[in-house]
């Protein structure tokens, strides 16, 4: 397990790097950008890296092998879930061989000192595959809800769900047809479980919703040029301490921007940036005449 850096509080903080939509095999995949991201994530030294889908462009074996090569350069433990592009051309066969189950659970228990500092017994991350063969829209399905409930069996853990498709529409991305089809049924299940954070990708634009105390974190594309408007490629850094969950955006020019803070005591969003800036609004929203 990699330790954090900085002062005493920062060292105890839990760090998660969230990557999405590498799209290995796509003409817009940028090797230089991917290399820089791997280096920056390794310098950050997170407790965990989560990759929320679309590792490949079309689910081909060679694309998964390229993705596995890049992710093999990460020094921290890594949890991966497939996206819709990975489910093309029976890609999930290769996914299973190279990355394992499409549904998985990661859990780490904190030592007593860290548990006290973080006001949590450990971290539980549940990875859910929302892809369907050769379709773009996301779907989880009611039959999966009991399994999801069962994975969050440590009531005092920090609880994270990772799934490729988004549960709320992402502003600044154009017409949206791919929100998880059963989001209206799944969201109250996650609310009842007490999930703290939902990590998603798919839309290539970072955005954060606070919903009934849950923080929904969508990440941009990590290493492809499939961007929307003026929003550049980026990845998310989550920093969790006893009182807050902070999300920082990392851009390709090296900028690290604090984008949202959620209070763990009130479960309310207490600070927001980026997505309410004039640059974002003017770049990715069509003005209403
Ligand atoms: Fe996707």
């Amino acid at each position: 397990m990699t330790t954090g850096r900085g002062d005493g509080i920062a060292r105890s903080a839990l760090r998660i790097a969230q990557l999405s939509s590498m799209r290995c095999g796509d003409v817009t995949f940028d090797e230089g950008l991917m290399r820089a991201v791997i280096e920056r994530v390794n310098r950050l030294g997170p407790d965990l890296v989560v990759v929320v889908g679309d590792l490949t462009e079309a689910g081909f074996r060679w694309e998964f092998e390229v993705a596995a090569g890049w992710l093999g350069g990460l020094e921290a433990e890594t949890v991966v879930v497939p996206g819709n592009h990975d489910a093309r051309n029976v890609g999930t066969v290769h996914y299973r061989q190279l990355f394992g189950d499409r549904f998985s659970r990661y859990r780490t228990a904190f030592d007593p000192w860290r548990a006290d500092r973080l006001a949590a017994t450990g971290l539980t991350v549940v990875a859910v595959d929302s892809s369907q063969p050769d379709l773009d829209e996301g779907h989880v399905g009611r039959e999966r809800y009991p399994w999801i409930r069962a994975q969050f069996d440590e009531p005092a853990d920090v609880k994270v769900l990772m799934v490729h498709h988004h549960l709320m529409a992402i502003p600044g991305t154009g017409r949206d047809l791919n929100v998880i089809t059963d989001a209206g049924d799944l969201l109250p299940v996650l609310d009842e479980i007490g999930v703290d954070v939902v990590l998603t990708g798919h839309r290539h634009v970072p955005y954060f919703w606070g919903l009934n105390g849950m923080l929904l974190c969508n990440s941009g594309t990590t290493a492809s040029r499939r961007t929307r408007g003026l929003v550049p490629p980026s990845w998310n850094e989550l920093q969790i301490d006893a009182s807050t969950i902070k999300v920082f955006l990392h851009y390709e020019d090296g900028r690290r921007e604090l984008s949202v803070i959620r209070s763990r005591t009130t479960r309310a969003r207490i600070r927001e940036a980026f997505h309410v800036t004039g640059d974002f609004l003017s770049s990715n929203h069509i003005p209403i005449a």
Side-chain angles (χ1 to χ4, degrees):
M1 184 67 64
T2 308
T3 55
R5 298 169 187 177
D7 59 22
I9 293 172
R11 271 200 301 276
S12 68
L14 180 68
R15 284 196 176 96
I16 300 172
Q18 178 189 1
L19 314 183
S20 181
S21 303
M22 297 155 57
R23 302 282 285 267
C24 293
D26 185 56
V27 292
T28 69
F29 176 73
D30 187 326
E31 282 193 12
L33 180 53
M34 190 72 224
R35 188 172 296 109
V37 170
I38 298 287
E39 289 172 3
R40 285 174 191 155
V41 170
N42 285 341
R43 273 205 303 276
L44 177 72
D47 295 85
L48 185 70
V49 179
V50 303
V51 184
V52 284
D54 283 355
L55 286 70
T56 70
E57 169 59 19
F60 296 132
R61 177 80 184 193
W62 71 269
E63 294 177 333
F64 280 114
E65 288 172 347
V66 169
W70 284 109
L71 296 180
L74 291 166
E75 294 166 1
E77 289 191 70
T78 304
V79 181
V80 180
V81 74
N84 55 305
H85 283 263
D86 303 320
R88 293 181 178 176
N89 301 303
V90 200
T92 47
V93 170
H94 307 303
Y95 180 92
R96 173 178 279 275
Q97 289 184 350
L98 289 165
F99 294 98
D101 290 340
R102 296 179 292 114
F103 295 81
S104 63
R105 173 186 186 263
Y106 166 91
R107 198 216 171 219
T108 185
F110 301 141
D111 62 46
W113 179 85
R114 206 176 188 201
D116 186 51
R117 291 294 189 97
L118 286 172
T121 49
L123 168 68
T124 297
V125 178
V126 177
V128 171
D129 178 19
S130 57
S131 71
Q132 304 170 89
D134 301 310
L135 294 178
D136 283 336
E137 59 261 39
H139 182 76
V140 173
R142 286 175 294 177
E143 67 278 10
R144 289 285 178 184
Y145 301 171
W147 180 86
I148 293 171
R149 285 182 199 276
Q151 306 316 301
F152 289 109
D153 59 353
E154 296 287 346
D157 271 12
V158 174
K159 301 180 191 69
V160 176
L161 182 89
M162 56 182 284
V163 59
H164 177 63
H165 292 83
H166 45 305
L167 286 162
M168 292 280 288
I170 306 299
T173 60
R175 187 174 295 272
D176 194 336
L177 302 172
N178 301 149
V179 171
I180 288 175
T181 53
D182 55 322
D185 294 325
L186 179 57
L187 278 166
V189 172
L190 303 179
D191 188 23
E192 186 186 316
I193 291 169
V195 167
D196 295 291
V197 182
V198 180
L199 304 175
T200 60
H202 185 61
R203 295 301 280 166
H204 298 199
V205 169
Y207 201 84
F208 310 98
W209 287 111
L211 192 68
N212 283 23
M214 279 187 290
L215 185 59
L216 309 185
C217 295
N218 201 69
S219 50
T221 175
T222 297
S224 90
R225 296 289 162 190
R226 292 198 179 273
T227 54
R228 290 189 163 90
L230 297 178
V231 179
S234 66
W235 53 279
N236 294 349
E237 171 199 346
L238 283 83
Q239 194 177 113
I240 302 171
D241 59 34
S243 58
T244 63
I245 298 173
K246 301 185 185 79
V247 186
F248 298 85
L249 277 176
H250 287 255
Y251 295 103
E252 62 177 315
D253 62 3
R255 240 177 341 130
R256 176 177 180 263
E257 183 179 86
L258 178 59
S259 290
V260 67
I261 303 176
R262 197 208 80 170
S263 164
R264 285 184 62 201
T265 49
T266 66
R267 295 178 70 89
R269 207 170 57 181
I270 54 178
R271 183 187 186 278
E272 55 193 340
F274 177 73
H275 55 282
V276 292
T277 61
D279 281 351
F280 175 79
L281 294 173
S282 62
S283 68
N284 268 40
H285 286 260
I286 298 169
I288 298 168

